[in-house]
Amino acid sequence: MKYFGALIISLTAFISCTQPEKKLPILGNREPVEKTVDGKVVVDTVYQTIPSFNFINQDSVQVSDKNFAGKVYVADFFFTSCTSICPIMHRNMLKVYNQYKSNPEVKLLSHSIDSKYDTPSQLKKYADKLGVKGDMWEFVNGPHDAIYGIAEKSYLVSVAADSKDPANFIHQGWFVLVDKDKRLRGAYDGTDPKQVDQLTSDIQTLLDEYHTR
Amino acid sequence: MKKIVSASVFLLLIFLYACQSDKEIEQQRYFVNGKSIFEQHCQNCHGANGEGLGELYPPLTDTVFMRSNKSKIACIIKNGSNTALMVHNKKYEGKMPAESDLSDIEIAEIVNYITNSFGNKLGDYDVNNAAADLKNCQ
């Protein structure tokens, strides 16, 4: 599996080198499927995609995958009372927000992993204090299992309650880039300003990919 | 006689100078150690340049606030803070966690660092200052 990943990366690196335009790799699991085209059987690849979801945002409005249809978006996992990596992540995410807040093709989606404490009104307070307006950046609350499930299975980010400290959570500070076809196109360490700069420019690369088609 | 006086004045000056630079070196050590503790314990919330984060975490760049609250900073670090604070004319009502495990000297190092960084220039601060300030925590 490890080698498979390395093979994919080197293949995409190879392909992207031979193509004039830079293209981001497609991440996650993939499955070959047989299709019949013009009477001939051909093998096509099906990429992992983000399944449908339904959460509630900081304005107590339902937010589903439909709100993200036709958007390039960045997803992450946090909680408002997190004093470790979350402030760093969202200080960095604010840069992405400020860069793309007036671009209707780009959205940000922060999932709270503390569904009990982070009610919509708590999320609203947090968004206000962070200086975030409108619905370009959604902060969502959802049932524990739904959030944890989509984190681990779909965005491939691991989150867990801390067994030693009930008030805390162990989680990774990944920013996951999702394209308009719900496929994973990048994962960046949200605590590293350099990787977040890379994310900012990769969003543009991804948008260009759709514009030149 | 005159010779002896000028010689002792000269010696005194040398001593003063030597002591002065010893003190300077000591203060520099506080500052440098304070920077590394700040990076581990404070920077996530207050930012590498003390810029804070929105209205969640106050900046450490309000030189007037820092000057008038210098003697309270040690207590804020040791015991945390959970009151309404006005920084740069903005109200902050968050909760800063206590760092009760830090020693007096570590606290002195952090205070020395933040009160002489981010535009602040409040000068010397050592472990004796920290011990005195920590006695007066409310």
Side-chain angles (χ1 to χ4, degrees):
Chain A
M1 189 57 213
K2 247 187 204 157
Y3 294 113
F4 184 65
L7 186 70
I8 300 281
I9 290 171
S10 38
L11 262 181
T12 34
F14 179 68
I15 293 167
S16 55
C17 286
T18 53
Q19 277 184 350
E21 277 156 43
K22 188 181 169 246
K23 246 185 152 187
L24 302 179
I26 300 174
L27 309 174
N29 296 323
R30 58 192 60 210
E31 266 173 39
V33 286
E34 291 189 346
K35 270 201 316 197
T36 314
V37 179
D38 298 333
K40 274 186 222 149
V41 176
V42 294
V43 178
D44 200 3
T45 312
V46 171
Y47 295 98
Q48 175 176 349
T49 55
I50 304 298
S52 58
F53 56 81
N54 205 337
F55 301 126
I56 296 178
N57 77 1
Q58 69 267 34
D59 295 312
S60 303
V61 173
Q62 299 240 358
V63 170
S64 75
D65 48 298
K66 295 199 181 66
N67 300 76
F68 292 81
K71 315 269 184 194
V72 160
Y73 73 96
V74 183
D76 76 350
F77 296 84
F78 84 114
F79 55 108
T80 61
S81 56
C82 159
T83 56
S84 53
I85 60 173
C86 308
I88 311 175
M89 290 164 64
H90 283 175
R91 179 178 292 113
N92 291 333
M93 191 72 102
L94 264 181
K95 283 190 245 157
V96 183
Y97 170 75
N98 285 323
Q99 177 95 14
Y100 289 105
K101 63 185 170 191
S102 53
N103 187 332
E105 288 176 275
V106 181
K107 276 179 82 70
L108 308 176
L109 175 58
S110 290
H111 306 74
S112 168
I113 56 172
D114 186 358
S115 57
K116 262 192 229 137
Y117 180 73
D118 285 341
T119 56
S121 69
Q122 180 65 25
L123 292 172
K124 180 71 180 171
K125 241 194 261 167
Y126 181 84
D128 281 349
K129 286 187 173 182
L130 204 55
V132 172
K133 297 185 181 70
D135 64 358
M136 182 275 192
W137 186 350
E138 312 262 18
F139 297 84
V140 296
N141 172 285
H144 176 279
D145 291 350
I147 297 277
Y148 282 60
I150 206 166
E152 308 224 336
K153 288 200 201 81
S154 305
Y155 293 106
L156 311 179
V157 176
S158 92
V159 286
D162 188 338
S163 55
K164 280 180 238 122
D165 179 1
N168 218 341
F169 299 87
I170 303 167
H171 74 293
Q172 299 176 323
W174 293 111
F175 289 171
V176 180
L177 179 59
V178 183
D179 70 14
K180 293 184 180 182
D181 298 300
K182 303 175 198 258
R183 297 174 304 190
L184 307 179
R185 302 301 294 273
Y188 310 82
D189 180 350
T191 64
D192 179 352
K194 280 205 203 83
Q195 290 204 27
V196 178
D197 286 347
Q198 184 64 48
L199 164 64
T200 307
S201 72
D202 282 357
I203 292 175
Q204 193 54 55
T205 305
L206 195 50
L207 289 170
D208 292 344
E209 192 180 296
Y210 283 96
H211 296 161
T212 54
R213 265 214 299 230
Chain B
M1 186 61 203
K2 233 184 180 176
K3 253 188 190 163
I4 293 175
V5 169
S6 54
S8 44
V9 166
F10 183 65
L11 270 178
L12 191 70
L13 274 176
I14 288 185
F15 272 114
L16 272 179
Y17 183 75
C19 291
Q20 175 69 28
S21 53
D22 261 3
K23 185 151 193 217
E24 258 171 37
I25 290 168
E26 189 198 54
Q27 285 296 311
Q28 273 166 17
R29 200 172 290 136
Y30 270 90
F31 182 90
V32 171
N33 292 346
K35 180 171 163 51
S36 86
I37 307 176
F38 179 85
E39 284 166 2
Q40 291 159 35
H41 292 263
C42 323
Q43 184 166 313
N44 57 342
C45 291
H46 291 290
N49 301 311
E51 73 272 28
L53 177 58
E55 287 168 35
L56 289 166
Y57 305 115
L60 304 175
T61 52
D62 184 339
T63 51
V64 177
F65 179 96
M66 294 297 258
R67 183 185 300 279
S68 49
N69 290 283
K70 185 175 177 185
S71 61
K72 294 186 192 142
I73 297 175
C75 295
I76 293 179
I77 297 171
K78 184 94 180 177
N79 302 326
S81 177
N82 198 3
T83 54
L85 295 177
M86 291 296 289
V87 179
H88 279 314
N89 292 321
K90 268 199 210 152
K91 197 169 169 188
Y92 291 87
E93 299 174 289
K95 184 166 167 257
M96 172 163 150
E99 290 274 9
S100 41
D101 291 344
L102 291 175
S103 65
D104 289 7
I105 186 143
E106 288 170 313
I107 288 178
E109 287 164 347
I110 305 175
V111 174
N112 188 301
Y113 174 66
I114 65 173
T115 54
N116 290 293
S117 303
F118 322 131
N120 301 300
K121 280 196 193 67
L122 299 182
D124 295 356
Y125 193 88
D126 66 17
V127 66
N128 298 321
N129 300 118
D133 286 347
L134 287 167
K135 277 213 185 80
N136 297 322
C137 290
Q138 272 117 16

